[in-house]
Each structure stands twice: as structure tokens, then as C-alpha cells.
Amino acid sequence: MEEQSILNGGIEELNIIQEVLEKRDSIKEEIENVIIRTGKLEGDTALAEKETQDIIDSTIKKRMAEVSASFDKEINDEKGKLRAIRNKRDKAKNKGMKQRIDVETEELRKSVRDLNTEIKTVFKTKGVPGFCNTGYYYSMYCPRTIHDWVVLVCTFLVCIIVIPTVLYCILDWFWLWKILLAAGVIAVFAALYITIWLSTKDRFKATIVEMRGKRDAISVNKKEIRKIKKAIKKDKDESQYNLGGFDEEIGEIESRIKVTAEKKRLALEEFDKNTKPAIISEITGRNKESIEAMNKEIGELTAKRRSLEAEQKDIVYNITSSYEAFLGSEYMKPNKIEELKDVIQSGSAATIIEAINYIKAHQ
């Protein structure tokens, strides 16, 4: 019955439908405007809150730095004094250890000097060349220790194998000339070694062997000197270096540093407890009214949007059930209803259904 009433209706029914559709579209547009306005307000609110927080953070950081600055300067000054006095203490300790080493090794060092003088005197008196009084010479011609034998073997390997081999590989000569050159190097080394042997070891054997014992005594004394030095440097007892004055001053400086650090801690604690909240309150208050106003408007717009959406839902339901089911979804637009009205007003149709059929026939 209702279907027949709508489809058989005319201009009056189309005006009612057109008004409902226009109201639907008007509410939709209003909802979109509310959403746009809400989004803008939310962005402005977020920006204002961020700017406020940035100001709070920078202000607190700056004020904290100002509170810490004077204490830090005082602490750094004291630390500079502490480094200076510790350097003086280390120098005094090193000087004391050096003096102690000199005292405890005096006899050994004197023995080394006397033995060196005696060896040089004997070599000079006997006419032994000075180079014979070297560790390398004794390793090459009077080996006794493992070290001596290592030096001797390595020297022979280098001169007899390594050098000839390298020359053979790098020289771009005929192979026979390279072999002759390698043989020549070996021959020169052998000749030099034998010559030195005959002119020194064979000639002054007794003197060289005798002085070997004194050189061994020198090595023993030097080893003992190194042992004494190491023991003194590892000795934890510093009482004999008269460092009490330095230690007392170091203790006073460290105590002052601790007192200043505690004052700084208390000042920062006071800042965090009282000053910081006051700064936050003061800065937040600057934009409080504008932010609250924007938040209030956001709340009002949100409520309005919900109300409009509920009204829109009812209108859409009414359109769907009362009109769209009979006229079809393609006529649920104001311009389409206007087109039906034009057909009826022109006299081409008397009812809505006739107007629809007329349009379909003339498409």
C-alpha cells in the first residue's frame, strides 16, 4: 500500500523526498567539517603541548647547568691541584727509589766498573784488539751459553745460506755467475772469520779465555743489580721516602672534593624537589588557557559529531526503507529527484512511477 502511495505520488511526495536527501547530504557535509575542524584543533593542541614541553626541558636543563656550574668549577680546580700534588709525590718517590737503588747497588756497580777497567787494561797491555771485548765477539769465538750458540748459528746461517740465496734470486745474471757470486760471498765470510780467529783467538787465547771469567762476573753483577731494582720498585713500603706531607695534602684535597660533591648533590636534589616543579608550573601556565580552550572545543565537536552521526544513521535508515526500496538507489540524489519533478511538471508524466518509466524510455 505504501509502495503504491509513493510511486503513485507526484510533486508533493518528490519534494518531501528531496528535502530528506538534502538534509542527509547537509548532515554529511557538516560531519566532514566537524572532523576537519577537530583534526586541526588536535594538531594545534599537540603542537602547543610539544612547544611547552620543549621550553620546559630546555629551561630545566639550562637552570640545572647553572646550579652545577659553580660546584663543577670548584671540583675541577681541586682536581687540578690533586693531579699536581700527585705528580710531585710521584717525582719525590721516584727520586727516593733512585737514591735507594744507588745505595743498595753501589758495591755491585763499583765491581762492574773495576772489572771493566781491568779487562780494558789487560787487553791494552797484551795488545788484544778492543772489539774482542764485546758480547758478539765472545758469542762468535768463545760460545758458552745458549745465547752465544744462538748468535753463532744465526750468523752462519745468514752469511752462508740467506745472503747467497737472496743474491741468487734477485740478480738477473747467467746462472753460473750467480753460483760463483754466492760461492764468493761464502768464501769471503769464511776467510774473514778465519782471519779474525787466527789474529785474535789463536794469538791471545789465554788472555781472552781469562777475561771471559771476568765478563761472566760482570754479567752476574748486572743481573743482581736488575734484581735489586725490580725488588725496590715492587716494594709497597713507602715510609722511607718521606711522602707524608704529600699524602696529608692529597687527603685534604680529596676531602674538599667530597664536601663540594655533596653540596652539589644537595643543591640538585633541592632543585629537583622544589625549583623544577615551580618552573614546570610557571611555563605550563602560559599556554594553559588556550590549550584548555582547544581541548574543550574538541570535546564539544566530538559530542556534536556523535549526535550528527546518530541523526545521519536514522535518516539513512529512513531513506533506505521508505524510498530507496521503491525508487531504486540511483534516484537517491537531489538532482535525480529534480529530474523526476521536471518530467511531471512538463506534463510528460502524472506520477513518480510514470516519470521513472518516461526517463528510462528516453535514455
Side-chain angles (χ1 to χ4, degrees):
M1 188 72 177
E2 184 178 359
E3 178 183 358
Q4 292 297 323
S5 175
I6 294 173
L7 293 176
N8 292 326
I11 296 297
E12 184 178 350
E13 284 75 11
L14 287 173
N15 286 334
I16 294 172
I17 296 172
Q18 191 174 31
E19 288 178 1
V20 173
L21 292 176
E22 288 175 347
K23 186 174 183 181
R24 178 200 65 183
D25 293 343
S26 175
I27 290 175
K28 180 182 178 182
E29 183 179 356
E30 191 173 359
I31 289 173
E32 290 175 351
N33 291 334
V34 168
I35 291 173
I36 292 171
R37 175 61 180 167
T38 302
K40 184 178 184 305
L41 284 171
E42 288 174 345
D44 292 343
T45 302
L47 180 60
E49 290 175 345
K50 183 180 183 303
E51 289 176 349
T52 300
Q53 188 61 48
D54 289 344
I55 294 172
I56 289 172
D57 293 341
S58 63
T59 303
I60 289 175
K61 183 178 179 181
K62 180 181 177 182
R63 299 283 176 82
M64 285 185 68
E66 291 171 352
V67 171
S68 300
S70 59
F71 294 107
D72 290 340
K73 183 180 183 304
E74 186 175 347
I75 290 173
N76 289 332
D77 290 344
E78 293 294 344
K79 285 182 176 180
K81 295 176 183 178
L82 186 61
R83 286 192 296 270
I85 195 64
R86 280 176 173 168
N87 287 335
K88 290 181 180 179
R89 184 187 186 280
D90 290 340
K91 289 179 180 179
K93 179 182 175 181
N94 291 334
K95 183 178 179 181
M97 286 194 300
K98 185 176 182 303
Q99 292 173 347
R100 181 181 170 189
I101 290 170
D102 289 343
V103 171
E104 295 187 18
T105 62
E106 183 178 1
E107 291 298 325
L108 292 170
R109 289 185 290 106
K110 182 177 181 303
S111 175
V112 170
R113 290 195 300 270
D114 292 344
L115 288 169
N116 274 324
T117 300
E118 183 179 351
I119 293 172
K120 290 178 181 178
T121 302
V122 170
F123 272 26
K124 187 175 181 180
T125 303
K126 300 291 186 178
V128 181
F131 67 82
C132 295
N133 187 27
T134 61
Y136 186 71
Y137 176 86
Y138 273 91
S139 294
M140 291 298 295
Y141 294 96
C142 299
R144 180 184 297 176
T145 64
I146 294 176
H147 174 268
D148 291 339
W149 284 106
V150 169
V151 171
L152 177 63
V153 171
C154 288
T155 301
F156 269 84
L157 289 175
V158 169
C159 295
I160 295 177
I161 298 177
V162 176
I163 294 177
T165 301
V166 170
L167 292 174
Y168 187 90
C169 294
I170 65 173
L171 293 176
D172 188 18
W173 293 1
F174 182 61
W175 64 270
L176 180 60
W177 301 125
K178 292 196 287 186
I179 291 176
L180 291 175
L181 176 63
V185 170
I186 295 172
V188 169
F189 170 73
L192 183 62
Y193 184 81
I194 293 171
T195 300
I196 295 174
W197 176 287
L198 294 175
S199 61
T200 57
K201 177 66 180 296
D202 187 63
R203 183 178 176 186
F204 305 106
K205 182 178 181 180
T207 302
I208 291 173
V209 172
E210 180 184 357
M211 293 302 103
R212 177 60 189 255
K214 297 186 182 298
R215 287 181 58 84
D216 290 344
I218 290 173
S219 296
V220 171
N221 288 342
K222 287 183 177 180
K223 184 178 180 180
E224 185 62 24
I225 290 172
R226 289 193 296 271
K227 183 178 178 182
I228 292 172
K229 285 183 178 179
K230 185 176 181 180
I232 291 174
K233 289 179 179 179
K234 292 178 66 176
D235 189 2
K236 301 297 182 182
D237 182 13
E238 300 178 345
S239 59
Q240 56 191 303
Y241 303 131
N242 298 320
L243 303 175
F246 295 107
D247 292 336
E248 183 177 346
E249 189 172 353
I250 288 172
E252 292 175 356
I253 295 174
E254 289 177 339
S255 178
R256 291 199 297 270
I257 290 175
K258 288 181 181 179
V259 170
T260 305
E262 179 63 16
K263 289 180 180 178
K264 177 184 176 182
R265 186 188 69 80
L266 293 174
L268 291 175
E269 188 176 281
E270 173 67 18
F271 178 88
D272 195 59
K273 183 178 179 182
N274 297 316
T275 309
K276 182 178 177 180
I279 292 173
I280 294 173
S281 177
E282 189 272 328
I283 296 175
T284 302
R286 298 175 189 174
N287 299 324
K288 183 178 180 181
E289 291 185 4
S290 61
I291 291 175
E292 286 180 349
M294 287 189 288
N295 283 326
K296 181 180 178 181
E297 187 176 352
I298 289 172
E300 293 172 351
L301 289 170
T302 301
K304 182 178 181 181
R305 178 177 58 80
R306 290 173 181 170
S307 175
L308 289 170
E309 286 174 346
E311 186 178 358
Q312 181 189 45
K313 184 177 180 182
D314 291 339
I315 291 174
V316 170
Y317 177 76
N318 180 40
I319 290 171
T320 303
S321 61
S322 300
Y323 307 118
E324 185 177 341
F326 305 117
L327 276 68
S329 60
E330 67 270 23
Y331 287 99
M332 291 300 99
K333 298 175 184 177
N335 63 324
K336 286 292 186 179
I337 298 299
E338 189 67 33
E339 187 177 348
L340 292 173
K341 287 168 62 178
D342 290 342
V343 172
I344 293 174
Q345 289 173 347
S346 67
S348 299
T351 63
I352 295 174
I353 186 60
E354 290 177 1
I356 292 174
N357 291 332
Y358 177 85
I359 292 173
K360 287 180 178 179
H362 290 82
Q363 283 181 343

